[in-house]
Amino acid sequence: MFDVAVVGATGAVGTTMLRVLEERGFPVRELRPLASARSAGRTIDYLGKPFTVQELTEDSFEGIQIALFSAGGSRSRDFAPAAVEAGAVVVDNSSYFRMFPDVPLVVPEVNEAAIQGHSGIIANPNCVAAPLVVALKPIADAVGLERVVLSSYQAVSGTGAAAIEELRAQAAGFLTGDEPEPSVYPHPIAFNALPHIGPFEDTGYSDEETKVINETKKMLGLPDLAVSATCVRVPVLNGHSESIQIETRDKITARQARELLMAAPGVVLMDEPNETIYPLPRLATGRDEVLVGRIREDLSHPRGLALWLSSDNLRKGAATNAVQIAESLVTRGWL
Ligand code: 25A
Ligand code: L14
């Protein structure tokens, strides 16, 4: 049994982490929910029992063996070293440590063995990159991968609880002629699509697009892979989707790709478009697997393939993947 801290326990991802720990029967001895001073003293529920949320400080980690962080990059930067100092292994959901060369960036279905080389911190990838590599890894292994071009359709839950509330309020207001002003996003998100996730960089790409590009190459172990991304916020409450075009080294047919993906860990193939069966964010919500479909050979390229996926960004994109990493630490003796 293990003493486990959840940092950001009251947030959209943190609360999902608690549910996933419960569902998977993670061997928790002591649970220590941590958040900002704002939430300290509140109770959260774990396995039917109330737990009091404590304020995150440098002294929060005494006796903790596993610390799951999801309270934003600056909290990870400021407090993960204290957790490691106290003897914990940190699984960090923020973007802060992901591209550090000595920090493993892991999706267990893709590169579980990388966990072994950790020095106290293991990074959990971005919620677009994680499902993407789950779908691409079997194809990369079978026929080689040369180029990936994707567009994302990202739900508001990725931004957190306040954004979920903003979409609900704007959608209701729009229909009754009294739409609230945007506050979380720079434009109305209800009945709209915003090609803007995170700040823009000198390259013209957004920070989110840059994370997807860099993390995909790191996790696939393909530093020379050509990747381009356009990340778009859509008025979906939960579940990120991706339209993906790939160019492979050797030709792969749609049928071969379906066979590979049917057998791939963490993938559910949903590819019977004539029966209206394809991945949808609402079908992905509440599931831990990545749903993949609309697989077809690209008419514009001899070694091109097109795919569509949907995945629960709070689960496989965040909480489930973090708990899977914690499970690997425990079951493989890598703690
Ligand atoms: O830097 P990054 O990596 O880009 O991450 C930025 C944000 O992205 C979310 C997460 O938001 C994070 O804050 N996030 C990170 N990784 C994610 C992923 N993979 C991800 N989202 C999706 N996928 P979140 O809403 O999920 O969680 C926020 C949690 O962080 C806690 N927190 C904030 N500041 C803290 C802190 N914990 C400790 N110390 C601090 N200084 C936050 O705790 C929550 O648990 P909280 O309890 O204070 O928040 C309770 C609720 O309060 C509301 N709220 C938020 N900000 C304010 C606020 N209310 C009033 N004023 C505010 N300024 C929220 O509704 C929150 O749920
Ligand atoms: O890199 O949908 O973990 O807003 C997670 C949430 C990036 C943005 C990350 C979203 C963030 C994403």
Side-chain angles (χ1 to χ4, degrees), residues 93 95 98 126-127 154-155 158-159 197 208 211 233 240:
N93 198 46
S95 54
R98 288 178 191 156
N126 170 280
C127 42
Q154 296 182 229
T159 314
I197 301 186
E208 176 75 350
K211 286 192 275 191
R233 186 77 62 193
H240 287 1

Side-chain angles (χ1 to χ4, degrees), residues 5 39 51-52 61 67 80 95 106 118 127 133 144 177 181 192 198 219-220 228 239 245 256 272 289 296 312 330:
S39 294
F51 286 80
T52 303
F61 299 98
S95 54
V106 176
H118 75 80
C127 42
V133 296
E181 285 295 307
N192 218 349
M219 287 187 283
L220 291 174
S228 185
Q245 313 280 330
Q256 288 166 332
E272 293 170 63
E289 307 94 337
R296 60 209 189 276
D312 188 328
V330 166

Side-chain angles (χ1 to χ4, degrees), residues 7 56-61 69 74-84 90:
V7 179
L56 172 66
T57 71
E58 293 199 340
D59 303 323
S60 294
F61 299 98
F69 272 66
S74 55
R75 263 70 62 185
S76 295
R77 178 194 64 213
D78 296 344
F79 295 97
V84 174
V90 170

Side-chain angles (χ1 to χ4, degrees), residues 13-28:
V13 174
T15 45
T16 308
M17 282 175 169
L18 297 169
R19 298 293 80 83
V20 174
L21 288 167
E22 286 177 342
E23 287 166 14
R24 298 172 76 99
F26 194 84
V28 177

Side-chain angles (χ1 to χ4, degrees), residues 2-302:
F2 302 89
D3 297 335
V4 178
V6 176
V7 179
T10 54
V13 174
T15 45
T16 308
M17 282 175 169
L18 297 169
R19 298 293 80 83
V20 174
L21 288 167
E22 286 177 342
E23 287 166 14
R24 298 172 76 99
F26 194 84
V28 177
R29 183 170 48 209
E30 185 201 324
L31 176 74
R32 200 173 298 169
L34 302 167
S36 64
R38 218 168 28 240
S39 294
R42 256 178 66 184
T43 53
I44 54 101
D45 197 76
Y46 182 73
L47 288 174
K49 295 196 201 99
F51 286 80
T52 303
V53 176
Q54 300 172 27
E55 182 181 355
L56 172 66
T57 71
E58 293 199 340
D59 303 323
S60 294
F61 299 98
E62 203 192 314
I64 292 294
Q65 288 145 302
I66 299 171
L68 305 178
F69 272 66
S70 188
S74 55
R75 263 70 62 185
S76 295
R77 178 194 64 213
D78 296 344
F79 295 97
V84 174
E85 188 65 27
V89 175
V90 170
V91 182
D92 181 33
N93 198 46
S94 84
S95 54
Y96 189 73
F97 293 107
R98 288 178 191 156
M99 295 310 295
F100 283 36
D102 53 342
V103 172
L105 177 66
V106 176
V107 166
E109 291 89 339
V110 172
N111 62 341
E112 183 187 21
I115 297 172
Q116 200 173 358
H118 75 80
S119 340
I121 299 176
I122 298 139
N124 199 61
N126 170 280
C127 42
V128 172
L132 179 65
V133 296
V134 168
L136 293 187
K137 175 68 172 167
I139 297 172
D141 286 350
V143 290
L145 200 54
E146 291 184 344
R147 183 164 187 240
V148 179
V149 178
L150 75 115
S151 295
S152 70
Y153 300 66
Q154 296 182 229
V156 296
S157 65
T159 314
I164 298 173
E165 202 36 56
E166 179 150 311
L167 172 56
R168 286 187 192 280
Q170 280 177 2
F174 186 88
L175 294 177
T176 56
D178 181 23
E179 192 180 356
E181 285 295 307
S183 90
V184 174
Y185 297 116
H187 300 282
I189 182 62
F191 304 98
N192 218 349
L194 314 180
H196 179 180
I197 301 186
F200 287 101
E201 301 179 345
D202 292 344
T203 55
Y205 284 78
S206 68
D207 173 60
E208 176 75 350
E209 290 158 354
T210 304
K211 286 192 275 191
V212 172
I213 291 166
N214 293 336
E215 295 178 27
T216 298
K217 296 194 233 186
K218 179 169 176 175
M219 287 187 283
L220 291 174
L222 298 172
D224 298 327
L225 182 66
V227 188
S228 185
T230 301
C231 291
V232 182
R233 186 77 62 193
V234 293
V236 166
L237 287 171
N238 189 58
H240 287 1
S241 302
E242 303 176 32
S243 162
I244 307 161
Q245 313 280 330
I246 63 172
E247 292 169 26
T248 54
R249 188 192 56 224
D250 305 322
K251 163 96 183 153
I252 182 170
T253 64
R255 193 192 159 129
Q256 288 166 332
R258 276 186 211 106
E259 280 168 9
L260 278 176
L261 287 164
M262 205 169 347
V267 172
V268 170
L269 187 70
M270 284 194 178
D271 201 10
E272 293 170 63
N274 292 327
E275 311 294 322
T276 72
I277 295 173
Y278 29 66
L280 299 170
R282 282 171 63 167
L283 283 176
T285 290
R287 297 193 68 155
D288 290 319
E289 307 94 337
V290 177
L291 312 183
V292 184
R294 295 295 323 277
I295 299 169
R296 60 209 189 276
E297 287 151 49
D298 185 340
L299 294 174
S300 73
H301 193 282

